[in-house]
Amino acid sequence: MVRLPGRPATRPPRSFGHPRAPHSPSQPEQGTNGSRPGVLRSAVTGRSVAGQVFVLQVVIVLLLVVSAVVAQVLQVRHDSDVEAANRSLAVAETFAHAPGTVAALRSPDPTAVLQPRAEAARKATGVDFIVVMDTDGIRYTHPNTDRIGKKFVGDITPALEGRTVTEHITGTIGPLVQVVVPVKDSDGKVVGLVSAGITTAHVGGTAEQQLPLLLAAAAVALVLATGGTALVSRRLLRQTHGLGPYEMTRMYEHHDAVLHAVREGVLIVGGDGRLLLANDEAHRLLNLPADAERRHVLELGLDEETAGLLSSGRVATDEVHLVKDRLLAINQRPTDLRGGPPGSVTTLRDSTELRALSGRAEVARERLNMLYDAGVGIGTSLDVTRTAEELAELAVPRFSDFATVDLFDAVLGGEEPRPGTALRRAACAGVREDAPLYPVGERIRWVATSPQARSLTTGQSIVVPRLRAEPGWRAQNPERTDRVLEYGIHSLITVPLRAGSLVLGVANFWRSEKPQPFDAEEVALAEELVARAAVSIDNARRYTREHSMAVTLQRSLLPRTLPEQGALEIAYRYLPAQSGVGGDWFDVLPLSGARVALVVGDVVGHGLHAAATMGRLRTAVHNFSSLDLPPDELLGLLDELVGRIDQDETPANGAAVVTGATCLYAIYDPVSRRCTLARAGHPPPALAQPDGTVHFPDVPAGPPLGLGGLPFETAELELAEGSRLVLYTDGLVEDRERDIDEGLDLLCDALRRTPGASPEDTCRTVLDRLPARPSDDVALIVARTRQLGPDRVAQWEVPSDPAAVSEVRASVTRQLSDWDLDELAFTTELILSELVTNAIRYGRGPIGVRLLRDRTLICEVSDRSTTSPHLRYAASTDEGGRGLFLVAQLAERWGTRYTPHGKVIWAEQPLP
């Protein structure tokens, strides 16, 4: 393993994914194949790590070979010296201890005896010389005879002392090793010396012969080592991608920085289960000890499940493990899938923090959703109370556990708030229904120290994190506030309901289930919710005020009670629309001769203008009905009136204010049981016969009022006694969910189900099929017909003779006596005398007299003249002109109505 400069051996550089470094001159030009010239160039140049390793290893091998050769040579020389010393010592000792050596030394001519022996021994042992000398160092023997008798070269002093001497000297025959051995007699006395020696050149000849072989072997070893180094360099070059040391160091530094800076733990575990590498994030997430690396993962103090996963090396994908107080998502892959080293790489991701971040994002998303829901869910109706309820219902339980809305009483009534007055609880919502808060409808006067009062005064939101520590709030009602605290409500946000400069009330958000108190971010959310609700509440308040004014106007224009009459049994209903005030109206108008007029109308549109127009039309119908006009003539006059209203009230831009009106007018005569009807764009009436059959009479459909130019036609019906005539507006039979044909079928079905029912029951049955708050106004009249029988009607033909007046009086007196109305005989005679006399004098025959006994006594005189009498106030000197004056004084009402054949003058008297 090559250690990079400045890097510890315990932390080898790791290559994850083999990233390619930028191209550099040291990178191979033809890939990473070691057989290509690029490898050799890289190896020769030495710029890449592989090249430097190649050169370094070649140098090392060369040095090793040279060192081996030198060592071998030195070893041979050393061995030669040792061999020379040993051989010389052996020869010298052998010769010194040989029998006869001592005797020869003591002989007269030692040379003669010893020289042959010495030469023979030298030749036999292969030493270079054997020299025998006396104790003075004079040679007795020598290979060169000319040296005999000369002094020995060397140190003989130790030998004279009885010790053996070994010396390395350069003698006459070259460098040599010589040994001097003492020759002792039997007494141990040194009597001579023997020296044997051999030159190192002679001993080292074998080593010199082996040197070529040694050099050849060194050369082969060098070639083999160079080839192996090339192969290693080739693989190293492939692994390092031709990077140089600086680039490798920089790459390692970058990888090391990324590895330890990334916010994801990385672990590398070897095949034996030991931890090889752990970055800083892994140390933090797993709380590893400082010496964790090189230790087995089962010894790191991890929980059993996590340690088992790390030691198993199995594949894992986003497995969540609880490690200490963290939830870690673990991914693990083995490293030997593609021929890599055994082990596994594990990444750790702290899902606890991610969940916290996602939780905050979820909270923000929920708040945005809540604001969106507030935009579409608050203010769906123009009702102040309902809008307050929508705010409370939206806040619970998504924002608070309980929510209450307190509004000034004036706001609930549609008026502007009056500060300083009490508030009323308009809405309350909560996760439970038994909270001891003020109930809905309770009048509350907050004390000045309470958060609600301070919020109303300052117009600012107030948050109370801990209600138990808020004495101002507890001073409101100590008994109730103690119950609130015992219930578990612990935190409050109170926000003023502000619409412009008006403070309409306060919204209170209470928390009990969640232990955390409200914070500043939640105050901002509460203010946003309340701000949206305040606008809707103010709009509802304004609408309530306008609606109340319109309803008040409408109610003042509609009939409060039905007039007394005996021709019809009548029941009615009026249902206002769900929103807005419409222009539907109805009326029951008693006419002369016991007749009754029924009218139903509808002004197109809603609002104050429609209500005011309806009032004008109803007043006009009252005035026109007093003229006893037929239905078609009355509708014609109404048509002209609506046209004038359109003309008079058209604004400058030319847009019409009144877009039209419809009307149905019917007159019923109980004497003849005839009903005359005309309609102007109005739905036809329904007629329920006593036998249960129901149909819609064929009444000509005239144009709506205001179009002008088209005539109206009448229809005349003869109704059996007990028939039910049903008049209504289009809101009864038509709405957004069904067309008019379906509505008419439903009306017929309801009338068929109630044959012979009273008008009240009929109204109830018909309206049960409608929603509680219809989308349009509904006006309904059910009239059951009655008949004024022959026993209550008397009539006579009167000739055009003044003398016939007395006969009329007599007949009337007898009829009144039969009806037990003798008290009215005198006044009736006076009224009829005057009316008949005027008819004889100013009218044309034939003349008829009719008495009707209904709720009043009705006297009628008819003739063929269309001249209408008029009331005069005669002077005291006038002889006439007092007849109609007397009639007006004696009768309760009187008048004139025109018929197709003349006129009828009538007078009514109350029954006694």
Side-chain angles (χ1 to χ4, degrees), residues 259-282:
L259 185 65
H260 292 280
V262 69
R263 295 292 293 173
E264 186 168 298
V266 178
L267 298 172
I268 299 180
V269 179
D272 57 354
R274 296 185 179 277
L275 181 64
L276 301 180
L277 182 143
N279 68 347
D280 296 341
E281 185 68 5

Side-chain angles (χ1 to χ4, degrees), residues 226-385:
T226 303
T229 301
L231 293 176
V232 172
S233 299
R234 172 187 173 184
R235 182 170 181 81
L236 182 61
L237 184 65
R238 182 183 296 112
Q239 294 294 326
T240 60
H241 297 276
L243 298 177
Y246 172 75
E247 293 169 332
M248 290 286 292
T249 303
R250 185 177 60 182
M251 182 182 68
Y252 175 80
E253 291 174 347
H254 289 173
H255 284 197
D256 190 63
V258 171
L259 185 65
H260 292 280
V262 69
R263 295 292 293 173
E264 186 168 298
V266 178
L267 298 172
I268 299 180
V269 179
D272 57 354
R274 296 185 179 277
L275 181 64
L276 301 180
L277 182 143
N279 68 347
D280 296 341
E281 185 68 5
H283 274 272
R284 185 181 72 87
L285 295 178
L286 297 178
N287 195 22
L288 297 177
D291 60 345
E293 294 182 358
R294 301 301 177 184
R295 292 175 58 182
H296 200 282
V297 293
L298 298 179
E299 303 173 358
L300 300 179
L302 301 176
D303 64 278
E304 182 178 352
E305 184 179 1
T306 304
L309 173 62
L310 296 178
S311 63
S312 68
R314 63 179 175 84
V315 176
T317 302
D318 285 337
E319 286 191 13
V320 178
H321 291 252
L322 178 62
V323 180
K324 301 296 189 297
D325 57 346
R326 299 177 182 274
L327 287 174
L328 301 182
I330 301 179
N331 290 273
Q332 184 169 275
R333 295 292 183 274
T335 58
D336 56 355
L337 292 178
R338 299 181 179 178
S344 61
V345 175
T346 306
T347 60
L348 311 171
R349 187 173 65 254
D350 191 353
S351 61
T352 305
E353 297 179 359
L354 292 178
R355 290 188 181 185
L357 292 175
S358 62
R360 289 194 290 270
E362 183 64 27
V363 169
R365 188 183 307 110
E366 173 61 23
R367 291 178 178 178
L368 289 177
N369 291 338
M370 191 183 303
L371 292 177
Y372 172 77
D373 293 341
V376 300
I378 297 179
T380 57
S381 65
L382 292 173
D383 183 87
V384 174
T385 301

Side-chain angles (χ1 to χ4, degrees), residues 547-559 574 576-577 580-585 608 611-612 614 777:
H547 184 70
S548 299
M549 295 172 57
V551 169
T552 302
L553 174 62
Q554 185 185 42
R555 289 177 179 174
S556 67
L557 296 176
L558 289 173
Y574 183 85
V581 174
D584 291 15
W585 53 284
L608 288 175
M614 176 268 290
D777 291 2

Side-chain angles (χ1 to χ4, degrees), residues 383-442:
D383 183 87
V384 174
T385 301
R386 180 56 194 154
T387 305
E389 292 173 351
E390 290 170 346
L391 170 60
E393 292 169 358
L394 178 70
V396 176
R398 301 167 66 180
F399 176 67
S400 63
D401 299 317
F402 297 92
T404 58
V405 180
D406 305 328
L407 300 175
F408 289 104
D409 280 333
V411 174
L412 294 171
E415 302 298 327
E416 290 190 359
R418 292 186 292 273
T421 60
L423 289 85
R424 188 176 298 275
R425 180 136 294 174
C428 180
V431 294
R432 298 193 299 273
E433 298 181 356
D434 58 345
L437 300 171
Y438 286 112
V440 174
E442 182 88 6

Side-chain angles (χ1 to χ4, degrees), residues 656-681:
V657 176
V658 179
T659 57
T662 64
C663 185
L664 171 63
Y665 190 80
I667 298 176
Y668 175 70
D669 187 349
V671 178
S672 63
R673 292 184 288 105
R674 290 189 172 276
C675 181
T676 306
L677 306 93
R679 62 188 180 113

Side-chain angles (χ1 to χ4, degrees), residues 719-893:
L719 305 180
E721 186 176 8
S723 299
R724 289 172 294 167
L725 186 65
V726 181
L727 282 68
Y728 52 89
T729 56
D730 59 355
L732 180 70
V733 295
E734 185 178 16
D735 60 18
R736 299 171 184 171
E737 298 181 358
R738 65 172 184 265
D739 57 20
I740 190 170
D741 292 334
E742 183 181 356
L744 293 175
D745 292 340
L746 292 175
L747 176 59
C748 284
D749 183 65
L751 294 175
R752 290 191 191 98
R753 291 175 179 272
T754 57
S758 66
E760 281 291 337
D761 292 339
T762 303
C763 285
R764 189 178 304 110
T765 302
V766 170
L767 294 183
D768 283 345
R769 297 177 175 269
L770 293 179
R773 297 292 299 276
S775 58
D776 195 6
D777 291 2
V778 174
L780 173 66
I781 296 178
V782 178
R784 184 162 61 181
T785 62
R786 295 170 179 167
Q787 182 180 6
L788 200 61
D791 59 331
R792 303 175 68 181
V793 178
Q795 53 186 355
W796 303 272
E797 290 287 337
V798 180
S800 297
D801 183 0
V805 175
S806 60
E807 297 179 5
V808 172
R809 287 200 298 267
S811 299
V812 168
T813 300
R814 288 192 298 271
Q815 185 64 51
L816 292 178
S817 178
D818 294 340
W819 287 345
D820 295 330
L821 296 177
D822 296 326
E823 297 180 9
L824 298 179
F826 177 73
T827 56
T828 304
E829 288 180 0
L830 287 179
I831 291 173
L832 285 178
S833 295
E834 178 59 32
L835 294 180
V836 171
T837 300
N838 283 342
I840 293 173
R841 181 179 298 177
Y842 302 109
R844 292 182 301 162
I847 299 173
V849 174
R850 187 172 72 163
L851 286 181
L852 303 176
R853 182 186 177 187
D854 191 24
R855 295 179 305 103
T856 62
L857 180 64
I858 304 172
C859 303
E860 294 182 346
V861 176
S862 61
D863 64 74
R864 296 297 183 93
S865 172
T866 57
T867 303
S868 176
H870 59 278
L871 184 64
R872 291 174 54 192
Y873 297 95
S876 57
T877 58
D878 291 342
E879 295 183 359
R882 296 181 178 85
L884 288 180
F885 180 77
L886 291 175
V887 171
Q889 294 300 315
L890 296 175
E892 186 178 44
R893 292 194 311 153

